[in-house]
Amino acid sequence: MNQKEITLLMAYIYNNTDRLEDEVKQLQSNVRFRRIDSADSMELTKSLIYLEAFKEITTHIRCLLNLCPDEKEKTGD
C-alpha cells in the first residue's frame, strides 16, 4: 500500500469509530434521561455490538497490513 492509501484507510477507521462511539453515547444518554422500552434497549445493544465488532475487525485489518505492531502484541498473534 502506498502512503495515500494508508492515510485514507486510517481516516476511514478513525471517522467511523468516532461516529459509532457518538451514536452509542447518544443512545446511552437517551436511556438515562427518559423512560426506556425494549426497542431502546435493543438499539443500544445493537450499537454496542456493532462498535466492538468494527474495532476488532479494523484491528485485525491493520495487523494484517502491518500497520499496528503494538496491537499485534496485545492480540497474541
Side-chain angles (χ1 to χ4, degrees), residues 25-40:
K25 287 177 189 172
Q26 179 61 48
L27 292 169
Q28 287 172 332
S29 177
N30 292 349
V31 169
R32 269 189 220 113
F33 297 114
R34 69 176 191 210
R35 186 172 211 167
I36 63 167
D37 58 13
S38 59
D40 291 328

Side-chain angles (χ1 to χ4, degrees), residues 20-73:
L20 292 168
E21 287 174 345
D22 286 345
E23 182 179 322
V24 168
K25 287 177 189 172
Q26 179 61 48
L27 292 169
Q28 287 172 332
S29 177
N30 292 349
V31 169
R32 269 189 220 113
F33 297 114
R34 69 176 191 210
R35 186 172 211 167
I36 63 167
D37 58 13
S38 59
D40 291 328
S41 297
M42 289 300 294
E43 191 174 12
L44 177 56
T45 301
K46 178 196 68 107
S47 292
L48 286 166
I49 291 169
Y50 192 78
L51 173 61
E52 291 307 312
F54 184 80
K55 286 181 177 180
E56 184 175 345
I57 291 166
T58 55
T59 297
H60 288 217
I61 289 169
R62 288 185 295 132
C63 288
L64 286 170
L65 296 173
N66 293 321
L67 298 175
C68 63
D70 56 321
E71 292 291 330
K72 193 172 185 178
E73 293 171 5

